[in-house]
Amino acid sequence: MALDWRGQLRKAARTLSDVEQTVRLTEQERRGLHWAEHGGMPVLIPPYVLSLIDTDDPQCPIRRQFIPRAEESQRVRGDLSDPLGEREHEVAPRLVHRYPDRALLLVTSTCAVHCRYCTRARLVGTEDGYWSLSELEPAFRWLEAHPQVREVLISGGDPLVVSTRRLDALLWRIRRISSIDVIRVGTRVPNVLPMRVDDELVTMLRAHQPLWIMTHFNHPRELTALSCHALAQLVDGGFPVMNQTVLLRGINDDDQVLATLFRGLVRQRVRPYYLLHADVMEGTSHFRTSVARSLEIYSRLQGKVSGLAIPRLMVDTPGGKGKVPLGPASVVSMESHKTVLRTFRGEEVVLIEPGQFEGHR
Ligand SMILES: *Cc1c(COP(=O)(O)O)cnc(C)c1O
Ligand code: SF4
């Protein structure tokens, strides 16, 4: 791909006619693109991502993540425009504090691509890019006044579409807060704009260790030579890389697809961290699985796939009440001297335990 990352963003498809130049659109997609241009989340697909789309297959998992469909204009019961209540949990502009020891800082509204199921569609592509350090100053002040917060998650938008110089200045400002140990950067850049991960970026980030990178791969087809190279740059650069996958109906709601994705990530030295049950974002009901279905798919991975390749299944609860882990019910019964466990093969195994007073005799 000859275009550099800025060229990719400049040449990104933004309208129905842009997309139509490379993809044979269905009627549903035409209506979706029309909706996106008139009130929905704007479309943004860089040429690199377009090149991964199967232009003849409407079910292509890359295509379904980025080309809108008519269903986006539908609203169903329970849909929310800010499903995680992030606006309510802001303690300073752009700073969301929901858990005792960590906080989320939204540093930009710009992304390298617009994912149709995005939880932050209220934000993405709507405002003008990066927020300046002075606009974020109240957030830094809040962090300075709350030393129990030891970790800052930088997200957006996508922090890695911010220029290297500005991102460096932002990270230095955070590093001046002595109570902050760890910085986490949430980004989709390694798989949708891999040419952005160059030596200059890696060298700059290295000055801000300990820094963890959280990627967002949803399908094995996103593991291309270019994205794997971007991941290798980050891992060789010395950053732990974790991945969060969103479970999406019709895209990756299949244990074989997920096993291939997670094993592929481990091969790239990336640890699958969370498998996220889709949020109740308005206009995304066509992407969502039921909790029962998510658990069924997840249970099929347990025990059969290396523990390194199994993320935790999480539901982020509506209204910002926090993330809840889900798992197959493994405790069958619990009595004072014995607990019955169910294994991944479905066998029940009795575990004999010391009695309450035995240890003292
Ligand atoms: C998800 C999230 C975090 C991080 O949660 P972990 O379970 O530590 O990955 C922190 N803050 C907010 C507001 C979040 O939504
Ligand atoms: S990259 Fe992340 S924030 Fe940006 S549109 Fe996709 S899901 Fe939303």
Side-chain angles (χ1 to χ4, degrees):
M1 189 70 47
L3 287 172
D4 69 359
W5 71 276
R6 291 185 186 281
Q8 286 282 339
L9 294 179
R10 226 172 12 247
K11 293 256 159 63
R14 292 163 195 274
T15 62
L16 194 159
S17 66
D18 292 345
V19 179
E20 204 170 30
Q21 282 172 25
T22 37
V23 182
R24 187 137 32 110
L25 295 171
T26 65
E27 188 44 41
Q28 238 187 346
E29 289 171 328
R30 281 177 188 285
R31 282 192 282 136
L33 281 153
H34 189 264
W35 160 254
E37 279 176 51
H38 299 88
M41 178 172 65
V43 168
L44 185 80
I45 317 173
Y48 167 73
V49 175
L50 271 178
S51 78
L52 303 180
I53 288 179
D54 182 336
T55 54
D56 295 319
D57 177 15
Q59 303 310 328
C60 164
I62 308 291
R63 174 171 180 157
R64 295 222 41 208
Q65 290 181 67
F66 307 116
I67 299 183
R69 291 192 174 193
E71 291 101 312
E72 277 188 28
S73 61
Q74 288 168 10
R75 297 292 175 264
V76 302
R77 201 160 57 94
D79 272 7
L80 298 170
S81 65
D82 177 14
L84 307 181
E86 290 184 330
R87 267 177 306 221
E88 269 167 66
H89 285 82
E90 274 192 357
V91 288
R94 329 286 188 211
L95 185 68
V96 184
H97 183 234
R98 195 175 358 254
Y99 306 99
D101 72 341
R102 51 213 189 277
L104 169 71
L105 183 64
L106 305 176
V107 299
T108 175
S109 61
T110 304
C111 283
V113 73
H114 291 175
C115 314
R116 304 318 303 173
Y117 54 84
C118 181
T119 294
R120 300 215 184 99
R122 70 177 194 280
L123 209 74
V124 167
T126 54
E127 280 167 78
D128 211 10
Y130 173 78
W131 290 306
S132 68
L133 286 188
S134 57
E135 284 168 291
L136 293 173
E137 192 52 32
F140 303 135
R141 294 270 164 78
W142 188 92
L143 291 168
E144 277 159 352
H146 296 81
Q148 66 272 30
V149 173
R150 316 192 134 266
E151 182 180 322
V152 176
L153 279 83
I154 301 177
S155 185
D158 197 315
L160 296 189
V161 297
V162 174
S163 77
T164 304
R165 189 180 51 79
R166 294 185 112 161
L167 189 56
D168 192 29
L170 170 80
L171 293 171
W172 280 120
R173 179 65 190 88
I174 293 172
R175 280 294 170 219
R176 266 175 43 210
I177 307 169
S178 58
S179 45
I180 299 300
D181 293 331
V182 170
I183 298 177
R184 251 202 255 188
V185 177
T187 178
R188 207 169 181 181
V189 154
N191 54 331
V192 297
L193 198 66
M195 57 296 288
R196 166 67 175 119
V197 184
D198 53 17
D199 291 340
E200 187 199 41
L201 178 71
V202 172
T203 305
M204 181 280 281
L205 292 174
R206 281 176 70 94
H208 303 286
Q209 294 272 33
L211 187 145
W212 291 54
I213 305 276
M214 313 299 287
T215 59
H216 175 179
F217 283 75
N218 287 336
H219 194 276
R221 294 220 331 232
E222 294 161 30
L223 287 162
T224 64
L226 275 179
S227 67
C228 290
H229 178 71
L231 292 173
Q233 291 264 97
L234 292 167
V235 178
D236 290 342
F239 308 104
V241 182
M242 305 275 139
N243 185 73
Q244 308 196 119
T245 295
V246 183
L247 189 51
L248 296 166
R249 177 147 57 101
I251 293 173
N252 62 10
D253 58 337
D254 179 288
D255 57 301
Q256 294 302 322
V257 169
L258 291 174
T260 307
L261 171 66
F262 298 151
R263 286 182 176 129
L265 288 164
V266 170
R267 197 176 304 124
Q268 302 308 319
R269 298 171 288 162
V270 174
R271 171 79 163 102
Y273 176 68
Y274 283 165
L275 174 61
L276 295 158
H277 181 78
D279 295 331
V280 293
M281 178 64 193
E282 65 182 14
T284 67
S285 57
H286 56 301
F287 283 125
R288 300 204 293 261
T289 53
S290 63
V291 170
R293 175 86 182 124
S294 294
L295 265 170
E296 184 193 327
I297 295 165
Y298 188 66
S299 304
R300 291 207 197 114
L301 296 171
Q302 207 72 46
K304 288 164 204 137
V305 175
S306 161
L308 286 180
I310 302 197
R312 286 214 285 162
L313 175 61
M314 302 298 269
V315 182
D316 217 341
T317 54
K321 306 288 183 203
K323 293 183 180 77
V324 175
L326 297 179
S330 51
V331 177
V332 181
S333 64
M334 247 169 155
E335 291 162 38
S336 60
H337 292 263
K338 76 176 205 191
T339 295
V340 180
L341 300 177
R342 187 179 292 110
T343 71
F344 75 95
R345 291 199 179 84
E347 289 167 300
E348 291 187 5
V349 182
V350 179
L351 187 70
I352 302 295
E353 294 170 284
Q356 218 176 332
F357 305 107
E358 270 174 32
H360 299 290
R361 298 236 167 104

